[in-house]
Amino acid sequence: MMILEDFIDRLKGADSLGGQRQVFERTISDAGFRFYTYNIAQIAGVGAHSPVFTTSYPDEWVQHYLREDYYSVDPLVSEGPRRQLPFLWEDITHPADLSLRQQTLYAEAADMGITCGITIPIHGRDGEYAGVNLIPDGTLREQAETLRQQRHFMHLVALYYHSHSGIHLLEQRFERPAPIVLSPREQEILTWVARGKSSWDVSLILNISERTVLFHIENAKKKLGVTTRTHLVVKAAMDGLISP
């Protein structure tokens, strides 16, 4: 966990979106990943829009991908919002299930060294969705080992990066949202949850019912626009709303 804590400290210390991106890129590189894409696809209160993303893919591939409108047929783009947990590309890209255009997309991606990876879906309230794609380096065997070893760690890294840097990326395109305020009780409960305590544990510590704990957790989820407890405590910590 020290590696994760170091990533969080360096991310918070970066004073620009470019600096935050460098921290993220260094972290995934150290974990054995060659390329990434971070895409904010669906934003509450905003209609259809062009992709809001950052990537380390070669410029040649990015321009080709956008020019060919592969975004509209990419299975990763359509599958991500349906998933709650990270998934490997090989789980959804069986050749027999792909259209001719999709097969062309993956054949051309393979020519650029983009063959296998993992997609990390990030959901918010009102249908908000962002996704992080990570492509490991090395031989196919080394890539498979990297995905196996780093899958859960990169899930946390992606959540922290989105919670801290997503808003700055959107500020380049959209109006800044109103600040989020948690009640003292919500802050107290989330602090204990962030320390690994269950709802039952928190109820005993604070001498309140477990139902009350769950009520405040659900309220906090709505305020922060998240759907899971893990994402909730990550976002609360990155926004400075709690200090685990």
Side-chain angles (χ1 to χ4, degrees), residues 143-174:
Q143 290 177 359
E145 185 66 12
T146 296
L147 290 171
R148 185 187 68 81
Q149 291 183 349
Q150 303 291 350
R151 180 172 185 159
H152 300 298
F153 172 65
M154 295 315 303
H155 187 190
L156 292 174
V157 166
L159 288 174
Y160 275 106
Y161 183 66
H162 173 72
S163 295
H164 190 72
S165 301
I167 183 62
H168 301 299
L169 183 59
L170 290 177
E171 282 175 355
Q172 296 181 347
R173 293 277 300 274
F174 305 104

Side-chain angles (χ1 to χ4, degrees), residues 39 41-42 65 70-83 87 92-93 98 102 106 119 121 123 129 133:
N39 173 41
Q42 299 170 15
Y65 183 94
Y70 281 148
Y71 190 84
S72 64
V73 299
D74 193 336
L76 301 178
V77 174
S78 57
E79 184 67 20
R82 303 189 187 110
R83 301 286 189 116
F87 60 92
I92 67 163
T93 56
L98 299 178
Q102 290 170 331
Y106 282 108
T119 293
H123 295 272
Y129 173 75
N133 292 324

Side-chain angles (χ1 to χ4, degrees), residues 1-12 23-33 149-150 152-158 160-161 238:
M1 294 301 292
M2 288 301 296
I3 298 176
L4 180 62
E5 292 174 4
D6 180 61
F7 165 71
I8 295 170
D9 289 341
R10 288 188 290 119
L11 189 63
K12 288 182 175 180
V23 171
F24 179 70
E25 291 177 351
R26 173 64 182 274
T27 300
I28 66 172
S29 177
D30 289 346
F33 291 90
Q149 291 183 349
Q150 303 291 350
H152 300 298
F153 172 65
M154 295 315 303
H155 187 190
L156 292 174
V157 166
Y160 275 106
Y161 183 66
M238 292 304 296

Side-chain angles (χ1 to χ4, degrees), residues 29-62:
S29 177
D30 289 346
F33 291 90
R34 181 183 181 189
F35 297 127
Y36 82 92
T37 293
Y38 167 53
N39 173 41
I40 302 177
Q42 299 170 15
I43 306 167
V46 177
H49 61 86
S50 58
V52 180
F53 69 93
T54 61
T55 184
S56 63
Y57 282 153
D59 289 341
E60 176 187 356
W61 172 247
V62 174

Side-chain angles (χ1 to χ4, degrees), residues 176-189:
R176 185 184 182 93
I180 298 170
V181 179
L182 295 179
S183 70
R185 180 62 90 184
E186 289 167 347
Q187 290 178 318
E188 192 175 27
I189 289 173

